Amino acid sequence: MVAPELFVASVTPFTSPSGAVDHDFIIRHLRWLEAQGVDGVVPCGTTGEGQSLSVAERMAIFDTVMHHRGGLRVFAGTGCAALSDTIILTRYAFERGAEAALVLPPFYFKNLSDAGLLGYYRALCDALPSGARLILYHIPPMSQIPVTPAVIEGLYQSHPHMVYGVKDSSGDPAYLAMLTQRFPTLRVYVGSAALLAQALRDGATGGIFALSNVFPREMRAVMTAHLTGGDVETAQRLVTALSQALKPYGNPPAIKALLARLTDLPRASSRFPLVDLTPDEAETLWTAVRKVEAT
């Protein structure tokens, strides 16, 4: 059995809610994550507030991450509403050495046809070097644009060597199971921490999680139990409870508050329109997390 892959949907730290990116924090966070044993990071995705960053800011983050990644693998979050911006960022990510690019659908126009979304992904592939690899990002709760089986099949037909995988953040166990059954050669990365154990049973490659920013060892414990025949249920129960503790506050602000408690990293801000936790909220969250870990 192949060991599951654990990736971090890494946060983007800001100096203030309307301030600049704190690149020193990113470097220190990378070192901490590597010491915790994660396989890689995914900068500028949903947890990384990618849609609150300019193209130039994302490029600068890719530079920092690639230069200081150490032994970590990197999937770069490059999806934008504009195809031209997605092409620029994806090309740049591969030029800097990213292993793959995580590309969410263009999210502004709703009710897209499969033909429209497939055309977008095909145009992106046509603009990239032949060795580029894409991870399609299925996250309808945020984008409201699903990556349907027809889109995956169509891209396999036209650009089979560029379809690296799919990240499923739908939270829908049926969709997750469909991916592993219908596309057995596809790398499937689950994005919902609560579905990790099921995803591994269904044959997923691994996961890309917000929760791994602060609880990488707890996430790895589920994978290790699955791999060794250990107590998967107990490990998954802890992960699910931790995820639920963060849910009322939103992942980026909650994770940044917890990083300041659990590591030697300073307190970082999220960028507007997201709002940082108040001191009282941060304390309530910390109490909830300690209660979960004590059970």
Side-chain angles (χ1 to χ4, degrees):
M1 186 181 296
V2 178
E5 300 174 8
L6 178 60
F7 278 78
V8 181
S10 51
V11 293
T12 299
F14 298 96
T15 57
S16 72
S18 58
V21 176
D22 184 344
H23 286 265
D24 181 64
F25 183 111
I26 293 174
I27 296 167
R28 293 171 60 186
H29 190 206
L30 288 171
R31 296 286 67 77
W32 185 81
L33 289 170
E34 187 174 25
Q36 303 304 305
V38 304
D39 294 305
V41 294
V42 184
C44 302
T46 303
T47 305
E49 300 173 68
Q51 300 309 315
S52 294
L53 295 161
S54 69
V55 169
E57 285 176 319
R58 284 214 238 183
M59 287 179 168
I61 291 171
F62 295 161
D63 287 343
T64 296
V65 171
M66 295 309 301
H67 185 71
H68 296 280
R69 63 176 172 171
L72 296 171
R73 297 162 62 190
V74 179
F75 300 159
T78 63
C80 302
L83 174 60
S84 56
D85 287 345
T86 302
I87 290 172
I88 289 169
L89 277 171
T90 308
R91 281 177 174 167
Y92 191 80
F94 287 119
E95 288 170 3
R96 300 302 292 162
E99 180 178 332
L102 176 70
V103 187
L104 85 166
F107 49 85
Y108 183 78
F109 295 105
K110 311 306 179 189
N111 302 311
L112 288 184
S113 66
D114 284 345
L117 182 55
L118 180 57
Y120 176 93
Y121 280 129
R122 282 176 168 168
L124 173 60
C125 288
D126 288 341
L128 299 175
S130 59
R133 300 290 181 264
L134 302 184
I135 300 173
L136 310 183
Y137 193 3
H138 179 68
I139 183 169
M142 298 293 286
S143 69
Q144 297 184 41
I145 308 296
V147 177
T148 65
V151 170
I152 299 171
E153 288 174 347
L155 202 57
Y156 259 133
Q157 291 170 5
S158 60
H159 299 82
H161 301 299
M162 301 180 85
V163 183
Y164 190 91
V166 172
K167 179 186 179 185
D168 174 24
S169 292
S170 65
D172 179 2
Y175 180 89
L176 183 63
M178 178 277 297
L179 285 177
T180 56
Q181 293 166 11
R182 190 163 175 173
F183 304 100
T185 62
L186 188 69
R187 292 174 177 85
V188 176
Y189 295 93
V190 63
S192 172
L195 293 180
L196 174 54
Q198 177 185 319
L200 296 177
R201 287 195 300 271
D202 289 342
T205 304
I208 303 170
F209 302 110
L211 207 61
S212 298
N213 280 279
V214 281
F215 301 112
R217 293 186 182 275
E218 288 82 352
M219 304 302 298
R220 179 67 78 186
V222 180
M223 295 180 169
T224 300
H226 169 79
L227 193 63
T228 62
D231 188 352
V232 176
E233 183 178 348
T234 297
Q236 179 63 67
R237 190 182 304 117
L238 173 59
V239 163
T240 300
L242 289 169
S243 181
Q244 287 298 314
L246 273 66
K247 193 172 183 178
Y249 307 99
N251 278 334
I255 288 166
K256 290 168 188 177
L258 287 174
L259 279 170
R261 291 273 194 166
L262 293 167
T263 73
D264 63 354
L265 291 166
R267 179 71 181 267
S269 287
S270 292
R271 176 174 278 179
F272 290 137
L274 298 184
V275 179
D276 293 330
L277 272 61
T278 66
D280 286 347
E281 287 173 331
E283 188 61 36
T284 300
L285 172 60
W286 178 235
T287 300
V289 165
R290 286 187 297 176
K291 182 177 179 181
V292 168
E293 292 192 317
T295 58

